[in-house]
Amino acid sequence: MSVLPVVICGDPVLHHPTEPVAEAEVGTEQFGTLIADMYETLDLAHGVGLAANQVGVSKRLFVYNCPDIDGPDGTRKTGADIDAQGGPMRRGCLINPVLETSEIPETMPDEEDDVEGCLSVPGYDFPTGRADWARVSGLDEHGDPVTVEGYGFFARCLQHEVGHLDGYLYIDTLIGRNKRAAKKTVKREGWTVAGNSWTPGVDPDPFGHDE
């Protein structure tokens, strides 16, 4: 396995919809290597999700390793619920995902509870409005049909990653002062052009996990 550089916002690969994965690609050695490398990169970056175009590959797939401990209406799962779900962490790959969600709020997101970050906007986070529930259907890395769904943070992760594959970043969905702050940040960092990236495990962790 290899660690891949994570592309930073401003690169065109992050701002155009990705190409569907062809059936013939699934299960090939090359495709399997890409998925394994994405898992390795995600783990070293301490992220919860990684889309293929974030590593420069314009294909419709993402991997995730995300906590799933939120229930409906802001409740927290009990120990029994977590066991029934296979543990508090959800890990997997989704190829050609199709997203369904509950209603997305139009009000200003909470400054603490709705904060969201992204490996392609390294070192920053902003309050982001998301639907409380999401379900994604597609194929797993073996080409078998799979559907995953969840609430709260896991639902946020699913929406975030499908957004990448549709050609936009979470900062594109921001509103009000959060949108203005993100635009200023991107301009200040020089993330308006192609070619910027960082490599987990090589470059300092922009979110401070190495400290």
Side-chain angles (χ1 to χ4, degrees), residues 41-187:
T41 303
L42 176 66
D43 291 341
L44 272 178
H46 305 285
V48 296
L50 183 70
N53 54 343
Q54 289 185 273
V55 293
V57 180
S58 189
K59 291 289 185 179
R60 194 169 179 82
L61 76 143
F62 70 87
V63 298
Y64 60 92
N65 186 47
C66 184
D68 182 19
I69 56 176
D70 294 316
D73 302 320
T75 60
R76 184 57 58 92
K77 291 180 179 178
T78 66
D81 291 331
I82 291 175
D83 290 342
Q85 292 292 329
M89 296 295 293
R90 300 283 292 272
R91 185 177 178 89
C93 172
L94 274 157
I95 299 168
N96 296 336
V98 177
L99 174 70
E100 303 171 69
T101 72
S102 55
E103 185 178 359
I104 299 174
E106 297 181 358
T107 56
M108 284 294 291
D110 188 276
E111 294 289 333
E112 295 183 4
D113 293 340
D114 294 329
V115 170
E116 191 166 322
C118 179
L119 298 178
S120 289
V121 189
Y124 295 93
D125 51 50
F126 297 96
T128 309
R130 296 289 190 184
D132 184 58
W133 169 85
R135 176 167 58 205
V136 177
S137 301
L139 303 176
D140 66 14
E141 56 261 60
H142 308 294
D144 297 323
V146 62
T147 297
V148 295
E149 65 179 297
Y151 294 88
F153 189 72
F154 186 53
R156 180 178 294 275
C157 173
L158 296 177
Q159 293 168 80
H160 182 113
E161 298 309 321
V162 174
H164 273 301
L165 302 181
D166 290 340
Y168 62 86
L169 290 86
Y170 86 102
I171 57 175
D172 297 325
T173 73
L174 301 180
I175 60 175
R177 60 183 178 274
N178 299 318
K179 187 178 187 70
R180 293 190 293 272
K183 285 185 175 181
K184 289 180 180 178
T185 297
V186 169
K187 185 177 181 179

